[in-house]
């Protein structure tokens, strides 16, 4: 029997430490890639914890700009900088877990508030880095930048 997203979030929120002593191999994909791309990541987290970390990163970014969808490269940069993960060019073993960013977002969307309240997931400077991704997005799509709604009279 597979666990629900609520059960997974509850389990992760009760942890005293996120990391494990063993690194696991993950393949990041995205349902809506124009052409399928696989990005390999070595991470010191169980699958449940890794899924919740990825969801946390995506939801934090969505708080800054909800129309911006992070891709695998963005998520990996955050994982490497803040969560002790390492991108691999090619997998170093046969056994791995696939994490689709779209499916992960959808799976945990009903628990976003709970995920965002888990203290062990928070990292100083994370929101500033996410804001940089959003700024690059705005530069490529200036029509998406919010207009200043305040007017001076």
């Amino acid at each position: 029997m597979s666990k629900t997203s609520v059960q997974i979030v509850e389990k992760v929120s009760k942890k005293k430490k996120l990391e494990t002593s063993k690194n696991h191999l993950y393949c990041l994909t995205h349902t809506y890639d124009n052409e399928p791309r696989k990005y390999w990541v070595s991470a010191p987290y169980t699958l449940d914890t890794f899924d919740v970390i990825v969801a946390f990163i995506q939801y934090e970014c969505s708080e800054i700009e909800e129309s911006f969808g992070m891709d695998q490269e963005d998520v990996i940069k955050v994982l490497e900088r803040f969560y002790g993960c390492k991108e691999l060019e090619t997998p170093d073993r046969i056994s791995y877990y696939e994490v689709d960013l779209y499916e992960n977002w959808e799976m945990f969307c009903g628990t976003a508030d709970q995920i965002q309240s888990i203290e062990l997931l928070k990292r100083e400077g994370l929101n500033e880095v996410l804001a940089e991704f959003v700024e690059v997005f705005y530069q490529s799509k200036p029509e998406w930048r919010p207009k200043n709604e305040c007017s001076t009279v």
Side-chain angles (χ1 to χ4, degrees):
M1 178 181 201
S2 65
K3 296 174 267 189
T4 67
S5 60
V6 171
Q7 291 170 320
I8 293 169
V9 171
E10 285 176 4
K11 177 181 163 188
V12 172
S13 69
K14 291 177 182 175
K15 289 186 173 210
K16 302 223 182 300
K17 179 181 171 189
L18 295 176
E19 296 87 357
T20 64
S21 59
K22 180 182 176 195
N23 273 356
H24 302 273
L25 181 62
Y26 297 96
C27 178
L28 292 183
T29 60
H30 197 298
T31 298
Y32 291 106
D33 273 346
N34 290 330
E35 292 187 28
R37 301 177 300 157
K38 291 183 175 186
Y39 290 84
W40 301 96
V41 180
S42 176
Y45 307 105
T46 63
L47 177 59
D48 288 345
T49 301
F50 188 79
D51 279 340
V52 171
I53 290 169
V54 169
F56 175 78
I57 293 166
Q58 291 179 291
Y59 296 140
E60 286 294 300
C61 192
S62 179
E63 292 285 323
I64 298 167
E65 173 53 71
E66 64 185 30
S67 62
F68 173 66
M70 297 181 80
D71 76 358
Q72 298 96 307
E73 292 178 20
D74 299 332
V75 172
I76 287 174
K77 287 177 186 172
V78 173
L79 288 169
E80 285 186 314
R81 184 163 176 183
F82 294 100
Y83 295 94
C85 299
K86 183 176 179 357
E87 181 177 13
L88 303 173
E89 290 295 319
T90 56
D92 59 359
R93 60 191 86 113
I94 297 170
S95 176
Y96 65 89
Y97 301 102
E98 182 174 345
V99 177
D100 182 290
L101 296 182
Y102 174 77
E103 290 175 6
N104 197 64
W105 169 279
E106 289 295 314
M107 178 176 166
F108 290 104
C109 66
T111 58
D113 290 341
Q114 293 91 330
I115 289 172
Q116 288 177 279
S117 70
I118 299 173
E119 287 299 319
L120 285 177
L121 298 175
K122 298 177 182 180
R123 299 292 189 272
E124 189 169 329
L126 174 62
N127 286 339
E128 290 77 8
V129 169
L130 297 175
E132 291 172 14
F133 291 134
V134 171
E135 181 55 35
V136 170
F137 168 72
Y138 286 152
Q139 289 174 9
S140 68
K141 300 202 180 302
E143 67 276 12
W144 287 87
R145 187 183 294 276
K147 306 286 188 263
N148 184 354
E149 295 183 34
C150 298
S151 61
T152 57
V153 181

